[in-house]
Amino acid sequence: IARYGFTLPMGEALCQVAMDLSGRAHLEFSWNNKCEKIGELSAEMVPHFFRSLCQSLEATLHIKSKGENSHHIVEGMFKAFAKTLKQAVLQTNSNELPSTKGVL
């Protein structure tokens, strides 16, 4: 499999996601949240969702965002995450494993 990071601009917002399907669950999450809700979604559920996902996937995930519009930021996070996950699980033609331990 490949490992991948993705940057997604959405309006004034910029979201960066990097993932390692390493078997080690860890989340680094950077979001300067200024609201309680985004539509009907509780804003505190966004980092909770990604933290739970990291634990279930046993993945290391870094999400970094900046911008003014919380809707754009969160939408950008989810879209960048989707692109990152798609790339991370893509099988490559290489015979080499992208791991120094050779366990992926």
Side-chain angles (χ1 to χ4, degrees), residues 8-29:
L8 187 135
M10 180 159 291
E12 85 302 336
L14 181 66
C15 299
Q16 297 173 312
V17 177
M19 175 186 289
D20 185 3
L21 297 174
S22 61
R24 294 178 300 274
H26 181 75
L27 175 66
E28 289 291 326
F29 190 85

Side-chain angles (χ1 to χ4, degrees), residues 13-82:
L14 181 66
C15 299
Q16 297 173 312
V17 177
M19 175 186 289
D20 185 3
L21 297 174
S22 61
R24 294 178 300 274
H26 181 75
L27 175 66
E28 289 291 326
F29 190 85
S30 171
W31 175 29
N32 188 13
N33 179 28
K34 298 173 184 165
C35 64
E36 288 187 32
K37 287 192 171 259
I38 302 157
E40 295 297 314
L41 175 67
S42 172
E44 69 182 5
M45 293 306 292
V46 176
H48 175 73
F49 169 83
F50 285 113
R51 191 171 295 106
S52 297
L53 188 63
C54 285
Q55 292 171 347
S56 295
L57 283 177
E58 295 183 343
T60 298
L61 184 61
H62 290 254
I63 299 176
K64 187 176 176 181
S65 64
K66 65 179 184 175
E68 295 298 318
N69 184 307
S70 295
H71 173 87
H72 288 166
I73 294 169
V74 172
E75 185 177 353
M77 282 181 201
F78 278 95
K79 285 182 176 182
F81 171 77

